[in-house]
Amino acid sequence: MDGTEVTPEVKRRIKKLRDEIVHHNRQYHELDQPEVTDAEYDVLFRELQSLEKQYPSLITPDSPTSRVGAAPLEKFAKVEHRQAMLSLDNAFSEKELNDFNQRIKDRLKLKVATVEYVAEPKLDGLAVSLVYEDGVFVQGATRGDGNTGEDITPNLRTIKSLPLSLKDAPDGRIEVRGEVFIDKAAFEALNAHQARQNDKVFVNPRNAAAGSLRLLDSSITAQRPLRIIIYAMGLIEIDDALPETHWDMLQWFSAMGLPVSDQAQKLSDISQCQKYYDRILAGRESLDYEIDGIVFKVNSLQQQIDLGFVSRAPRWAVAYKFPAEEATTLLLSVDFQVGRTGALTPVARLEPVFVGGAMVSNATLHNMDEVSRKGIYIGDTVIVRRAGDVIPEVVGAVTSKRPADAAEITLPAECPVCASPVIVSEDVAVAKCSGGFNCNAQRREVLKHFVSRRAMNIDGLGEKIIDQLLERKMVSRPSDFYQLTKDQLLELDLVADKSADNLLNAIDASKQTTLGRFIFALGIPEVGETTAKQLAIHFGAIDALSAAPYDYYVPTGIPGIGKTRASRIVETLESLPGDTKPESLKEWLSGNLTGVKPAEVDALLLRYPETHQLQNLSVAEIQSKGESRVEGVGQTMAGLIVDFFASADNQKEVNALIEAGVQWESATVPNDGDESLAGNIYVISGKFTDMSRDQITAALVEKGAKVTGSVSKKTTALICGEAAGSKLAKAQSLGVEIIDENALAGLLN
Ligand code: 5U1
């Protein structure tokens, strides 16, 4: 199809391409059932674009190519609305809703009959008007002041759910009104993208939608995930008769391909309206998009005409608003709260404001990165958000209202609770108090976490009691709970005889727990309930967990060797003769490992210099950055777990808890019933050739033994490899038996 002469064949091809693209758009954007891949879609789209470039006379305003945006505008042209764009009166209570219904009945002189309504969620977006001429979208405008808006046609064209032409539309003019908005998930993704690009992040989905629609460069709008829902008609000039009810009008719109709310419902009377409101309010969080209330409209269009308007708002409709989820207030100051792991969280102290159905005077600012990303200063007027049960947060600042003396929010150099230095590491956003367990705030949070329902589940040990126990120095570590006496508890305020007994019973009952709960209760940074369970299943014993080194979790392997090559290497190594001398290994490997570079052979030998080591390698050990052996435990978390158990204080506390009687059902590691080492306590130290330290731990634990981190008089034996160091000296001084690798093999067989 060369040349510029328009042939019937070119016309047919263009029509076919447009039909196909419109079809695929619908399958993808409306029905979520794509029939072609993105690449296949792109081929069709590009062919249409190139044909339109070649034959500009064939470009039509409804061509799907117009969705990618047009050349940037200098400014928006004004559009006079031939029929004013109305606003809505609000209702804020059931009484106000009933008053609205009564006014309608009075005006319509209906004594007993009920009024039928249609309910639709009130989207929190931007109202627009769309004009279709003979079924083709020709103009779209903002509401503006209701009489004059701005022509944003190129921007509206980019919205995938807005049909550029209507199905089976009558000739003439059809004007409809609706709301442009952004889904909650798409908003989060958009903001994440904006942040990555160092571009402006939006305060909420409404602002993102409004900002995107009012861009002079519609090719940027085309990249924004905008949606539209149509809810009313504007001026309609067609020969056909119009529907008689609002409900039928919505069905008509939908049949023409205009998107209408899938939550719209016809309701027989006003009591049904209240029920609808309650239902949608309760399920508001599960909707994909933000709504700020419900719009109720009289269903009969004749009744709507009879009722008419008062100034800018129709008498036949009302917006029954939900409690606002966002409000503005003053940021008075910022305090820093210290969490269980020492993380400092900036907390905004606010002039109290009613938001999301409650008074809010504190809101989280998450961390200092968030503070600078949001550009918030003390003294600012800020937007506060409280949705459902979510902790209130400061969304952003109203910069136009910033006072001259607004002060920067700065991280304190010292912990506000214990005055230890605050540490900021480069790789994580959070600042931390370095006081550890000596910091009262951290101590308090550790204790609260330990007793919490999902951890040790000690019923009745609330915040107030923990605070008193801490103040009176009756408890400073979790294991101290198990030493509490009734007399001590009776000294506390609000603890009577009966509740002291209950508390002691609850503490005692908590001793019988599960390994997963116990690991979770320890409060290892980042280790949540699920990971704690995974660790319990994987290791089956606390000793095996505490002995596992970093490399155990995330094998670091040989740089550059991926999973496929690692599998091939492991397969080949199976044929490595057992009697190969170390000095011949390099030759054997170079001759047998195909596709492995000499530098990689060297790296392999450096790490595994012995024949038997090479014969027993796993894919995970060779693969560079192999997958974690424990689900959910990546490099960062592995580091935190290892650090936790490397601390002598933490080891001491784990032992103290076990000595206090905390216990769980036997290990989840499969065991053939051999408990021959039950009751024995081993310590492992040094380097071993045949087994890794965690393999040794697992093998001992499987036979019922305990493996601990430090040598004491209770230690049965020290399993001693090469370069054992101070543990060996301690074992010798205490007269503890010392077992070498050969003797260990005998113990385990
Ligand atoms: N769902 C819905 N939102 N909304 C907003 N319907 C609706 N109707 C409106 C407005 C401003 O006005 C009509 C009364 C035309």
Side-chain angles (χ1 to χ4, degrees):
M1 283 180 223
D2 267 351
T4 46
E5 192 202 337
V6 176
T7 62
E9 197 196 337
V10 169
K11 280 190 179 166
R12 261 200 308 276
R13 180 67 191 151
I14 287 186
K15 167 142 188 9
K16 184 153 191 301
L17 284 168
R18 285 182 185 157
D19 287 349
E20 275 187 38
I21 292 169
V22 167
H23 170 79
H24 292 313
N25 280 348
R26 186 171 138 73
Q27 293 298 122
Y28 186 90
H29 293 289
E30 286 175 45
L31 306 178
D32 256 349
Q33 285 167 355
E35 292 172 351
V36 288
T37 63
D38 289 356
E40 287 163 334
Y41 177 89
D42 287 345
V43 169
L44 297 175
F45 200 87
R46 265 188 249 124
E47 185 185 345
L48 178 59
Q49 274 181 320
S50 98
L51 283 176
E52 288 181 348
K53 202 168 164 201
Q54 212 176 339
Y55 304 99
S57 64
L58 296 183
I59 296 176
T60 55
D62 63 344
S63 173
T65 54
S66 64
R67 291 201 188 277
V68 294
L73 300 174
E74 290 279 306
K75 64 181 181 68
F76 295 116
K78 295 267 173 271
V79 175
E80 295 290 327
H81 297 302
R82 287 176 57 194
Q83 183 177 302
M85 282 184 78
L86 303 170
S87 53
L88 291 165
D89 265 347
N90 294 325
F92 292 97
S93 64
E94 187 165 3
K95 178 175 180 308
E96 289 181 10
L97 180 70
N98 287 329
D99 290 350
F100 159 76
N101 181 55
Q102 192 57 51
R103 282 196 301 274
I104 286 171
K105 283 180 30 177
D106 290 349
R107 253 196 127 67
L108 293 175
K109 302 210 169 24
L110 298 172
K111 289 265 165 345
V112 278
T114 54
V115 182
E116 193 174 61
Y117 292 99
V118 172
E120 292 157 68
K122 188 171 181 305
L123 289 152
D124 207 3
L126 199 80
V128 295
S129 159
L130 313 177
V131 178
Y132 289 83
E133 295 281 5
D134 299 335
V136 176
F137 174 59
V138 290
Q139 191 180 60
T142 60
R143 179 177 180 279
D145 64 4
N147 291 320
T148 314
E150 284 176 324
D151 185 340
I152 52 163
T153 313
N155 301 37
L156 286 167
R157 272 190 208 292
T158 67
I159 301 177
K160 312 280 188 310
S161 50
L162 182 153
L164 297 176
S165 53
L166 300 178
K167 274 182 259 164
D168 303 324
D171 281 345
R173 170 195 163 97
I174 295 177
E175 183 184 350
V176 293
R177 268 98 199 244
E179 200 88 359
V180 173
F181 63 99
I182 290 185
D183 281 349
K184 288 186 237 178
F187 167 73
E188 296 299 336
L190 171 64
N191 259 357
H193 174 81
Q194 294 286 104
R196 273 198 305 277
Q197 306 284 313
N198 276 335
D199 272 341
K200 170 190 158 149
V201 292
F202 297 99
V203 168
N204 54 33
R206 199 200 113 79
N207 284 24
S212 303
L213 258 194
R214 296 199 67 264
L215 288 165
L216 289 165
D217 185 350
S218 53
S219 67
I220 303 178
T221 311
Q223 292 157 28
R224 302 281 167 83
L226 297 172
R227 278 181 66 185
I228 188 166
I229 283 184
I230 305 299
Y231 51 65
M233 57 184 176
L235 185 70
I236 298 203
E237 292 171 328
I238 55 171
D239 288 340
D240 301 14
L242 290 178
E244 291 188 357
T245 62
H246 180 74
W247 181 255
D248 289 347
M249 187 187 69
L250 292 179
Q251 310 311 310
W252 177 49
F253 286 168
S254 180
M256 288 193 290
L258 289 163
V260 298
S261 172
D262 58 2
Q263 301 289 322
Q265 207 172 321
K266 193 159 64 169
L267 302 167
S268 56
D269 66 27
I270 202 73
S271 68
Q272 296 300 317
C273 293
Q274 180 63 43
K275 285 198 182 119
Y276 178 95
Y277 173 94
D278 292 339
R279 181 171 65 78
I280 301 283
L281 176 58
R284 175 189 198 181
E285 289 308 311
S286 61
L287 285 178
D288 293 341
Y289 40 80
E290 295 209 337
I291 60 174
D292 58 359
I294 305 293
V295 181
F296 295 106
K297 294 171 188 161
V298 171
N299 191 24
S300 155
L301 295 184
Q302 185 54 51
Q303 286 182 339
Q304 289 189 3
I305 294 167
D306 295 344
L307 287 160
F309 309 89
V310 219
S311 69
R312 300 250 123 241
R315 287 201 185 89
W316 43 265
V318 71
Y320 186 3
K321 299 295 274 291
F322 289 157
E325 289 192 317
E326 281 187 6
T328 54
T329 189
L330 273 186
L331 174 60
L332 304 174
S333 61
V334 172
D335 289 340
F336 286 82
Q337 250 168 24
V338 186
R340 174 163 57 85
T341 60
L344 258 63
T345 306
V347 179
R349 305 293 179 207
L350 306 161
E351 198 160 270
V353 62
F354 195 73
V355 54
M359 263 332 236
V360 169
S361 44
N362 303 311
T364 179
L365 287 164
H366 300 291
N367 56 52
M368 289 306 283
D369 271 5
E370 283 282 296
V371 169
S372 58
R373 194 168 71 76
K374 289 175 178 165
I376 301 164
Y377 286 72
I378 295 167
D380 265 344
T381 296
V382 290
I383 299 162
V384 181
R385 183 174 171 77
R386 181 181 178 276
D389 291 337
V390 181
I391 300 167
E393 62 168 347
V394 173
V395 184
V398 184
T399 44
S400 58
K401 291 195 179 167
R402 177 164 296 156
D405 61 351
E408 207 178 319
I409 299 168
T410 49
L411 187 71
E414 289 176 355
C415 169
V417 178
C418 71
S420 302
V422 167
I423 298 169
V424 191
S425 65
E426 270 176 26
D427 49 339
V428 273
V430 283
K432 283 193 166 189
C433 155
S434 59
F437 214 72
N438 296 324
C439 172
N440 257 338
Q442 293 188 49
R443 199 185 287 260
R444 179 174 184 265
E445 295 306 313
V446 165
L447 295 175
K448 268 167 59 185
H449 173 78
F450 183 82
V451 304
S452 64
R453 202 167 50 81
R454 292 172 186 282
M456 299 303 279
N457 191 21
I458 308 185
D459 214 18
L461 252 183
E463 223 166 283
K464 288 198 179 115
I465 295 195
I466 290 182
D467 282 344
Q468 291 187 64
L469 291 170
L470 268 172
E471 255 168 47
R472 289 162 205 244
K473 302 210 178 345
M474 291 178 183
V475 162
S476 71
R477 293 171 183 276
S479 54
D480 296 338
F481 286 128
Y482 295 102
Q483 312 304 331
L484 285 171
T485 63
K486 184 167 176 180
D487 286 345
Q488 281 179 310
L489 291 179
L490 287 174
E491 278 178 39
L492 308 180
D493 299 339
L494 300 170
V495 178
D497 195 81
K498 181 99 182 75
S499 47
D501 284 338
N502 289 345
L503 210 49
L504 286 176
N505 286 339
I507 292 171
D508 202 46
S510 77
K511 288 180 187 166
Q512 192 59 51
T513 186
T514 64
L515 179 56
R517 270 181 183 272
F518 182 70
I519 295 170
F520 178 56
L522 292 178
I524 306 166
E526 303 285 328
V527 175
E529 208 186 347
T530 314
T531 308
K533 263 191 210 153
Q534 292 292 351
L535 289 167
I537 292 168
H538 186 87
F539 288 102
I542 193 73
D543 303 325
L545 167 64
S546 69
Y550 177 78
D551 275 4
Y552 178 79
Y553 293 94
V554 191
T556 42
I558 309 296
I561 298 207
K563 200 171 187 168
T564 319
R565 279 208 298 155
S567 312
R568 242 191 288 136
I569 294 173
V570 168
E571 254 171 52
T572 312
L573 286 173
E574 274 168 22
S575 59
L576 169 66
D579 55 1
T580 313
K581 296 261 167 322
E583 54 275 21
S584 319
L585 278 174
K586 187 166 178 175
E587 193 189 328
W588 191 92
L589 294 176
S590 308
N592 288 276
L593 294 179
T594 45
V596 180
K597 296 179 200 131
E600 290 166 345
V601 169
D602 288 345
L604 197 62
L605 275 174
L606 192 70
R607 199 175 264 248
Y608 305 105
E610 307 277 340
T611 308
H612 66 92
Q613 288 176 318
L614 290 163
Q615 283 175 319
N616 291 313
L617 282 177
S618 68
V619 173
E621 281 165 316
I622 305 180
Q623 188 192 341
S624 122
K625 293 210 197 80
E627 282 161 29
S628 169
R629 286 208 192 131
V630 186
E631 209 178 305
V633 181
Q635 295 183 10
T636 309
M637 207 191 287
L640 293 167
I641 297 170
V642 172
D643 285 354
F644 181 90
F645 288 107
S647 142
D649 272 355
N650 289 340
Q651 287 280 3
K652 208 168 122 196
E653 179 60 9
V654 168
N655 290 336
L657 285 164
I658 292 167
E659 267 158 33
V662 174
Q663 54 182 307
W664 45 87
E665 289 282 293
S666 69
T668 30
V669 165
N671 172 323
D672 57 8
D674 177 0
E675 294 277 332
S676 55
L677 301 181
N680 291 358
I681 303 172
Y682 297 98
V683 177
I684 306 170
S685 180
K687 284 196 191 120
F688 299 84
T689 40
D690 279 2
M691 288 171 96
S692 67
R693 284 168 58 155
D694 37 306
Q695 280 171 330
I696 298 172
T697 306
L700 290 168
V701 169
E702 227 181 302
K703 288 186 181 297
K706 243 174 103 171
V707 178
T708 61
S710 53
V711 178
S712 73
K713 275 189 276 178
K714 288 189 191 157
T715 308
T716 311
L718 173 75
I719 316 272
C720 191
E722 255 177 61
S726 65
K727 283 182 189 164
L728 176 59
K730 177 121 188 246
Q732 281 165 336
S733 74
L734 291 175
V736 168
E737 189 188 343
I738 294 159
I739 295 180
D740 67 13
E741 200 165 4
N742 285 335
L744 172 71
L747 192 69
L748 293 176
N749 285 325

